[in-house]
Amino acid sequence: MLGKHETRARNASRNPLERLLDFPSKLWKARRGNVAILVGLSMPAIVGASGVTMDVATWYHAKKEAQVAADAAAYAAALNLAEQGLDGTATKPPMEVRANDAAGRNGYTGTVVLNFPPSSGVAVGNNRAVEAILTEPAPLYFTSVFWNGAPNIQARAVAIAVVTDACVWALDPTERAALNVSGGANVDLDCGVVVNSNDPQAALNQSGNSCLVATSISVAGEYTGGCVTPEPERYTANYGNPLGGLPFPNAGDYGACLTNGKYNITATPPNPLVAGRYCGEISISGGTVTLEGGEYFIEGDLKVSGNASLIANGPVTIFYAGQVDIASGAIVTLDAITTGPYANMLFFQDPNISGNIKNKFSGGVSMNLTGIILAAGASVEFTGGSSLIESKVAIVANTVNFVGNTFVDGDYAASLLPETTYARLAE
């Protein structure tokens, strides 16, 4: 028979689970009846507390699910608002249909209360925002004996509708300074800006004596700078490429090569350049070169030096597999073709281009461009004109760098790209 000390030692060496399983037996054998009585009296409280704990955990889970449904309802309603338009003619019933459908698909069985505009919160009174409120009774299991009626679980969400008028898109999803405004650049866009980079410090970078003014600025990450108007919307979604569905054409579609290798032009040629396929670089280093209207496919670079001129006799679209370099002082006048699958496209770079490729549009006051500059796989460095000359361009590039005064005709430039509608959660 084990001694008292040996018994204690053996019990101490047993794991906690074994000791817990032995507790009811010990309690039953206890000679002191007051222990059993106390335990018996406390059992309802113990069971009740355990039940409340389990029900509270269930309510917490239900609250999370309700919030997911509220977020979905508000987002769907705001997206419908954007689709209806933000001109003040939108009505609430179509938004309610979308909100209830979205909430239902997320497990909510009640009716969404939709406030347009929101009645509370940071967006109160904002006619570009909607507020969704979901209310449902909390599930009762163990605590049903303590409640006359189930408490309510409520979830609320606010979303804002956006119809972008952006004419400048920086597409890179992670690059720091994906949109860069530096030095003494004075960038007045009179249209919107979208920066898809989620860089946590400076997806949009404004520095030095430069300033950026636009009608709206959306940045997926953070921005830096003290001269940016309006205050950017930060941590927005990555809105992708507004022209991402547009395929780059095949060189073979443009027939045989009109030139091979580098084509260096130092004076006005006897005949204008004609539309077609150029299998190599075109370098205009002097004189005046004219382009006949039509589509050009250049399997290399297009370079225009500062003492040269490039003038189109008709609307053109230039596809290229290299890079564009228009030097400061060059005289360039180009208008895009406005019909067909590539309507309004002025420059379209092969999106699969690789390497550190930089397209430079630095003609300054002598650069008169009308159309879209699309360089989804590379950088665009743009210097516009004087305050008397507004560029009629939309820029969609992997990264965008403004290095001089740039003024964009926003009413025209924003119309070049397909209208983009989206919504974002605000609360």
Side-chain angles (χ1 to χ4, degrees):
M1 183 174 179
L2 295 174
K4 180 170 61 173
H5 295 293
E6 291 175 310
T7 302
R8 288 178 178 174
R10 188 183 69 172
N11 287 339
S13 67
R14 301 174 70 193
N15 65 56
L17 179 60
E18 290 176 328
R19 283 182 281 170
L20 179 63
L21 293 175
D22 283 347
F23 178 72
S25 175
K26 291 181 178 180
L27 185 64
W28 179 258
K29 295 177 181 178
R31 295 182 179 181
R32 297 180 180 180
N34 60 335
V35 174
I37 293 171
L38 289 173
V39 171
L41 291 173
S42 63
M43 284 304 292
I46 295 172
V47 173
S50 300
V52 169
T53 300
M54 296 183 68
D55 273 6
V56 168
T58 303
W59 298 344
Y60 178 77
H61 179 70
K63 170 68 173 178
K64 289 180 64 176
E65 290 186 330
Q67 190 60 57
V68 170
D71 290 347
Y75 185 90
L79 189 58
N80 178 262
L81 170 58
E83 292 168 352
Q84 289 191 64
L86 304 179
D87 57 359
T89 62
T91 59
K92 189 164 73 169
M95 300 181 223
E96 291 176 324
V97 171
R98 292 280 192 91
N100 281 289
D101 175 67
R105 286 186 284 109
N106 281 276
Y108 181 69
T109 58
T111 299
V112 176
V113 174
L114 196 70
N115 294 322
F116 168 60
S119 60
S120 61
V122 297
V124 61
N126 185 345
N127 61 7
R128 296 190 174 194
V130 292
E131 176 185 37
I133 300 174
L134 280 62
T135 305
E136 60 184 355
L140 294 180
Y141 300 107
F142 296 97
T143 55
S144 59
V145 296
F146 304 115
W147 295 87
N148 293 326
N152 284 327
I153 290 176
Q154 188 174 87
R156 172 182 173 274
V158 174
I160 295 176
V162 180
V163 178
T164 181
D165 63 344
C167 64
V168 174
W169 292 68
L171 304 178
D172 194 289
T174 59
E175 184 73 14
R176 178 162 296 187
L179 176 62
N180 185 59
V181 182
S182 59
N186 181 15
V187 182
D188 190 348
L189 296 177
D190 196 26
C191 51
V193 169
V194 170
V195 182
N196 283 337
S197 172
N198 63 5
D199 183 85
Q201 294 183 333
L204 185 161
N205 177 67
Q206 177 272 316
S207 60
N209 295 323
S210 65
C211 283
L212 170 63
V213 178
T215 57
S216 64
I217 303 174
S218 298
V219 184
E222 186 57 271
Y223 84 99
T224 184
C227 192
V228 180
T229 305
E231 177 78 15
E233 292 184 64
R234 300 170 296 162
Y235 309 116
T236 62
N238 181 326
Y239 296 119
N241 181 350
L243 298 172
L246 197 62
F248 190 74
N250 296 314
D253 295 339
Y254 294 86
C257 297
L258 298 176
T259 62
N260 286 286
K262 183 176 181 180
Y263 184 30
N264 189 23
I265 305 172
T266 57
T268 302
N271 295 302
L273 291 177
V274 296
R277 181 181 177 188
Y278 292 81
C279 299
E281 176 185 316
I282 295 179
S283 178
I284 303 171
S285 54
T288 299
V289 174
T290 58
L291 302 180
E292 291 293 330
E295 294 185 0
Y296 290 76
F297 195 102
I298 303 173
E299 297 181 29
D301 301 339
L302 172 62
K303 297 181 178 180
V304 184
S305 66
N307 60 342
S309 299
L310 180 62
I311 310 295
N313 286 332
V316 297
T317 295
I318 300 174
F319 304 97
Y320 61 104
Q323 63 190 53
V324 169
D325 187 351
I326 298 176
S328 179
I331 298 173
V332 180
T333 301
L334 302 173
D335 294 337
I337 296 171
T338 57
T339 58
Y342 298 100
N344 299 312
M345 187 67 65
L346 185 58
F347 288 98
F348 190 172
Q349 184 184 46
D350 185 349
N352 296 316
I353 196 166
S354 60
N356 185 21
I357 306 299
K358 182 179 291 185
N359 299 281
K360 297 181 179 180
F361 296 85
S362 308
V365 297
S366 301
M367 186 170 61
N368 186 2
L369 305 178
T370 301
I372 300 168
I373 299 171
L374 176 57
S379 172
V380 165
E381 184 177 283
F382 193 85
T383 303
S386 70
S387 60
L388 300 177
I389 300 176
E390 291 185 330
S391 302
K392 294 182 177 181
V393 294
I395 302 173
V396 180
N398 188 56
T399 62
V400 181
N401 184 27
F402 289 110
V403 296
N405 292 341
T406 302
F407 302 87
V408 170
D409 183 342
D411 289 339
Y412 181 81
S415 69
L416 296 176
L417 299 174
E419 186 175 80
T420 303
T421 59
Y422 54 93
R424 64 176 181 85
L425 289 171
E427 292 185 70

